[in-house]
Amino acid sequence: MFRETKYTAIAAAVIGAFGASNAQAIEFTYKDWKMDINGSVNAFYTTVNCKPDSSGTSIAGSTLGLSDNCLNDQAAIQNGLLPGYLKFTAATQQKGLDIKGTIGFWPGTSLDNGAQTVGDVRTVWLSFGAASWGEVKLGRDIGLFQQQAILNDMTLIGVGGGDYFSGQINTTLGMIGRGYIYTEFQPQITYSSPKMGGFQASLGAFQPRNTAGVGGSDFKFTTTPGFQGLASFDWAGDYAGKVWGSFAFQQGENSAGDTRKGNGYELGGKVGFFGAEAMLVGFTGKGLGDAIQFINGHDDNGEKRDSSGFLAQLTYKFGDLKVGASYGQNKLDQTSFDEANTPNLLDKRQAYVLGLYYSLTPNVTLVGEYVNEKETSHNGLNYKADTIGLGAILFF
């Protein structure tokens, strides 16, 4: 997605099913293989009014937030929560197995000091399986923990929070860190069950993350994988909807052999009724972090910090126009060590979003959003921002 910096892995998640629901993919066959090409392009004009704390003191752990990045009013033309992407999928059937492979390129529009931050290959995986017993996936793809939160975030096709990053990354943040933890695109080996009357479950072994952040640097070695799981149940009808739950766990070691562990749990659901759709999703964790998985999850003594958050969202469709409103927040608790040594630790991020999404054509959506963000520390530091984003997104 962008250069390897402290902002690495700050990107929105979208899977093939999301793109396919908005467009017709390009499909053709060659011998026994079915080829599928789909993608997306977007751009937004964003303007943000930054309101820093009068003290000028930074909030510890604000890598993704206002304190480190929103000190002056800004305007930009940039990607929204999604960068662009182009995905190639090849599928066939051999010896009774469904076989598939995907490679996805995720470029962006952003400039950083005049140099373009091009993008990365964040989806590269193969799978094999059968309708009778399920599917095994190996490679890099969207994670399981909090996957459904971001895929159902209305700002996924818009801007949401974080547009003040401007040229530093190829995406804004949507409601990442303002209602849920970023699911990320992660190396994994995952088994998914067949769908059974609306129920499906997935369980995977994942490459553990470096637990950087305040109190977490250098914990990047491991002898065991991380683990994530997701279970969901959906139903159709006049009140169609879905409920889900997920978890994540990992442990890491530093060069001295010290170990740090983290875990998180999620519950969520959505339901539609006569053009309206309501969603509520929440998470809680220990050593989990506040926005990116396992970042800022521990203090300098290795004690786990508790964190939690939720996102509430309501949308309504009037023909080709969808209107939506959402509110979300993430909280990071102090440990006793933090109270004495890091009083300015991040306490809470929150955001309100009002959005308009108009289907200009079956493949092009016009987007307008207003976002109000606030970030506070445990010792009372207060940063605010008001953002307007206007633009368009194309799926093909």
Side-chain angles (χ1 to χ4, degrees):
M1 182 184 86
F2 47 86
R3 301 177 312 179
E4 293 294 322
T5 69
K6 66 179 181 178
Y7 303 106
T8 298
I10 305 168
V14 68
I15 56 176
F18 181 88
S21 68
N22 290 272
Q24 295 99 24
I26 300 168
E27 297 179 351
F28 61 93
T29 58
Y30 177 74
K31 295 184 178 180
D32 295 330
W33 290 88
K34 180 180 178 181
M35 309 298 293
D36 177 301
I37 303 172
N38 65 76
S40 179
V41 181
N42 70 83
F44 294 87
Y45 172 76
T46 61
T47 177
V48 56
N49 174 230
C50 298
K51 303 171 184 176
D53 188 86
S54 58
S55 69
T57 304
S58 294
I59 295 176
S62 180
T63 303
L64 293 187
L66 302 169
S67 170
D68 286 359
N69 304 282
C70 193
L71 304 179
N72 300 288
D73 294 350
Q74 301 176 37
I77 297 175
Q78 61 184 115
N79 288 124
L81 178 49
L82 281 175
Y85 70 86
L86 183 63
K87 292 185 8 179
F88 301 86
T89 298
T92 190
Q93 196 171 65
Q94 297 176 353
K95 294 186 177 182
L97 294 176
D98 297 317
I99 298 171
K100 186 181 293 186
T102 290
I103 297 177
F105 301 91
W106 297 70
T109 62
S110 295
L111 295 175
D112 188 3
N113 296 323
Q116 185 157 4
T117 50
V118 178
D120 72 350
V121 182
R122 71 176 68 174
T123 45
V124 51
W125 54 264
L126 66 93
S127 68
F128 57 88
S132 59
W133 59 266
E135 178 187 75
V136 176
K137 177 187 292 183
L138 304 92
R140 185 184 180 197
D141 197 19
I142 190 172
L144 300 178
F145 178 65
Q146 296 251 260
Q147 173 194 117
Q148 292 298 310
I150 194 168
L151 293 179
N152 288 284
D153 180 357
M154 69 182 189
T155 70
L156 181 62
I157 61 170
V159 174
D163 80 294
Y164 38 80
F165 282 106
S166 189
Q168 299 179 60
I169 61 176
N170 276 320
T171 79
T172 56
L173 299 176
M175 297 298 272
I176 295 170
R178 296 141 180 84
Y180 53 83
I181 299 287
Y182 178 38
T183 187
E184 305 210 38
F185 289 83
Q186 303 182 52
Q188 60 187 275
I189 299 176
T190 297
Y191 166 75
S192 296
S193 73
K195 201 162 187 179
M196 299 169 285
F199 175 80
Q200 189 171 37
S202 299
L203 180 65
F206 284 70
Q207 173 67 37
R209 290 189 45 78
N210 180 6
T211 57
V214 179
S217 299
D218 194 39
F219 279 75
K220 54 187 176 182
F221 305 101
T222 181
T223 56
T224 58
F227 296 96
Q228 295 186 28
L230 169 66
S232 64
F233 180 81
D234 60 63
W235 63 93
D238 291 338
Y239 297 92
K242 185 174 189 176
V243 292
W244 63 85
S246 72
F247 78 89
F249 167 82
Q250 80 163 40
Q251 66 180 38
E253 300 174 358
N254 66 6
S255 54
D258 300 320
T259 299
R260 292 186 181 175
K261 299 179 181 179
N263 60 73
Y265 303 93
E266 169 198 23
L267 283 176
K270 65 176 183 176
V271 62
F273 43 95
F274 307 108
E277 184 178 85
M279 180 186 71
L280 180 63
V281 60
F283 76 89
T284 184
K286 292 182 178 295
L288 177 66
D290 64 288
I292 302 297
Q293 290 183 27
F294 307 108
I295 304 299
N296 292 334
H298 298 80
D299 66 21
D300 284 326
N301 279 344
E303 184 179 348
K304 299 184 186 75
R305 296 183 178 117
D306 293 341
S307 57
S308 61
F310 71 89
L311 174 64
Q313 178 179 285
L314 180 64
T315 62
Y316 191 87
K317 283 204 72 173
F318 303 87
D320 290 330
L321 176 66
K322 181 170 76 173
V323 298
S326 66
Y327 171 77
Q329 67 171 48
N330 282 18
K331 282 186 61 64
L332 183 67
D333 292 344
Q334 283 181 309
T335 64
S336 56
F337 181 87
D338 287 328
E339 291 176 358
N341 296 276
T342 319
N344 63 327
L345 181 70
L346 173 70
D347 177 21
K348 181 169 68 175
R349 290 196 196 93
Q350 60 185 1
Y352 300 88
V353 181
L354 298 175
L356 299 173
Y357 310 90
Y358 180 74
S359 297
L360 182 66
T361 76
N363 296 80
V364 178
T365 300
L366 304 181
V367 178
E369 289 178 343
Y370 165 75
V371 186
N372 175 270
E373 294 180 77
K374 184 178 179 180
E375 181 178 86
T376 56
S377 69
H378 283 275
N379 66 345
L381 299 174
N382 192 325
Y383 286 76
K384 299 178 181 179
D386 292 297
T387 297
I388 294 176
L390 299 170
I393 186 167
L394 161 72
F395 289 95
F396 62 88

